[in-house]
Amino acid sequence: MKISTKISLVAIASAVAMAPLFGSVADLETLQFGHTSLAYQYTFEGTYTAADGTGTWINQKVDDSGVNLAQNPFPTALTTQSSGFDMSSKMASFGGASSQGVAGSGLLASETINLGTTATVEFLVSFGNMTTPGYNPKERFLIEGANGTTNGRTTFGIVSQSCDAFSNMVGGPSQLNLIGGTSDVAYAQDTWYYVVQTFTVNAGQITINAWVADLTNDGELTQVLTDITKAFTGDISTTYMSLGRSAGAHTTTQRTAAVADLDALAFYDSVLDMDTINEHFNSITIPEAGSAALVLAFAALIPVLRRRRK
């Protein structure tokens, strides 16, 4: 049976238009979910009730009874579900409700999160317009776990006082720049970043490594922290995890909120190896095999059609 080249060309063009030409957040989240050391995952997918921001979208996805999130606004601002980095995903959008940043939206996991003496935290983040708050602490908190020890901090994401750098503050109070500041990856608003941080606790110290990529501008995966050691007390656990606001906001209003979008947040109870980190990064940035094949087939048929027309 003879098949029309024109029909074939139209069919392939339609398939290419429908297929993702790049990897996707959904691909990343699938890899996260399939990893044996995944402890907690927040994809922000699921049902969403606009009136109060509730629904399955703020449940963690590892199991049905896991450490779910709840709205934690001050005074009334809700964290909202929005379209994510690409069409395959939804995200959580956090808004600081005042120029000082004291008020703002947040999500809170009130159950204990335990990661032990090894851990990896992985997520996508984009920053909105923020100015230096006039209230202490002046930093804007995005991902923070609560715990009461001096060198046991578990702040995995905090925007600097000058609102031009994004850092972690794990262990002692010093901040390590992930994006902006001393990092090799520049800080910019309305730009999506892929962030991975690994932690190993041993003999009262924590060793930190981190990688970041600017997804919006097709940046390379860059190691921004290499074997940084700090004093650390205990293990990587927290009585609750707060997103969008400091965990201190659970009991006090004297904390500043971030203006940011967050997606594909995953906590692992192991240090991910470099092969896995590269695989996860590539899942967002490299075309799937099926899509690539369609593009090649489409390109191959163009000269055939041109010859038929002569």
Side-chain angles (χ1 to χ4, degrees), residues 178-181 183-187 193 212-214 220 222 224:
L178 301 168
I179 302 168
S183 169
D184 290 332
V185 179
Y187 178 99
Y193 299 92
V212 176
D214 178 341
E220 296 181 352
T222 302
V224 295

Side-chain angles (χ1 to χ4, degrees), residues 43-129:
T43 65
F44 308 109
E45 308 288 337
T47 60
Y48 171 71
T49 304
D52 59 4
T54 59
T56 61
W57 78 287
I58 49 180
N59 290 352
Q60 79 104 352
K61 302 302 193 284
V62 176
D63 58 64
D64 294 334
S65 60
V67 185
N68 295 327
L69 301 169
Q71 290 282 348
N72 184 33
F74 174 72
T76 58
L78 293 174
T79 304
T80 58
Q81 182 192 54
S82 307
S83 297
F85 170 67
D86 59 29
M87 291 186 296
S88 76
S89 70
K90 300 290 184 181
M91 67 185 182
S93 293
F94 301 93
S98 74
S99 60
Q100 290 188 333
V102 178
S105 65
L107 297 172
L108 178 71
S110 57
E111 299 176 59
T112 299
I113 285 179
N114 290 306
L115 297 172
T117 57
T118 57
T120 300
V121 180
E122 177 182 44
F123 54 89
L124 306 180
V125 65
S126 176
F127 308 105
N129 182 30

Side-chain angles (χ1 to χ4, degrees), residues 68-231:
N68 295 327
L69 301 169
Q71 290 282 348
N72 184 33
F74 174 72
T76 58
L78 293 174
T79 304
T80 58
Q81 182 192 54
S82 307
S83 297
F85 170 67
D86 59 29
M87 291 186 296
S88 76
S89 70
K90 300 290 184 181
M91 67 185 182
S93 293
F94 301 93
S98 74
S99 60
Q100 290 188 333
V102 178
S105 65
L107 297 172
L108 178 71
S110 57
E111 299 176 59
T112 299
I113 285 179
N114 290 306
L115 297 172
T117 57
T118 57
T120 300
V121 180
E122 177 182 44
F123 54 89
L124 306 180
V125 65
S126 176
F127 308 105
N129 182 30
M130 287 176 272
T131 56
T132 303
Y135 202 97
N136 283 322
K138 296 181 184 294
E139 296 89 352
R140 291 174 176 264
F141 294 81
L142 182 62
I143 307 173
E144 186 183 45
N147 99 36
T149 58
T150 301
N151 288 327
R153 291 172 177 81
T154 50
T155 301
F156 301 114
I158 184 172
V159 179
S160 65
Q161 293 185 16
S162 53
C163 299
D164 59 2
F166 182 68
S167 308
N168 76 34
M169 189 168 59
V170 177
S174 61
Q175 298 180 29
L176 301 176
N177 295 151
L178 301 168
I179 302 168
T182 59
S183 169
D184 290 332
V185 179
Y187 178 99
Q189 294 179 16
D190 303 318
T191 298
W192 277 100
Y193 299 92
Y194 171 70
V195 180
V196 182
Q197 305 169 65
T198 68
F199 308 93
T200 302
V201 180
N202 183 42
Q205 285 194 319
I206 189 165
T207 301
I208 305 172
N209 288 274
W211 294 261
V212 176
D214 178 341
L215 298 175
T216 299
N217 296 299
D218 299 323
E220 296 181 352
L221 185 63
T222 302
Q223 185 161 8
V224 295
L225 298 177
T226 303
D227 293 333
I228 303 297
T229 58
K230 297 174 67 177

Side-chain angles (χ1 to χ4, degrees), residues 42 72 145 295:
Y42 301 94
N72 184 33
V295 172

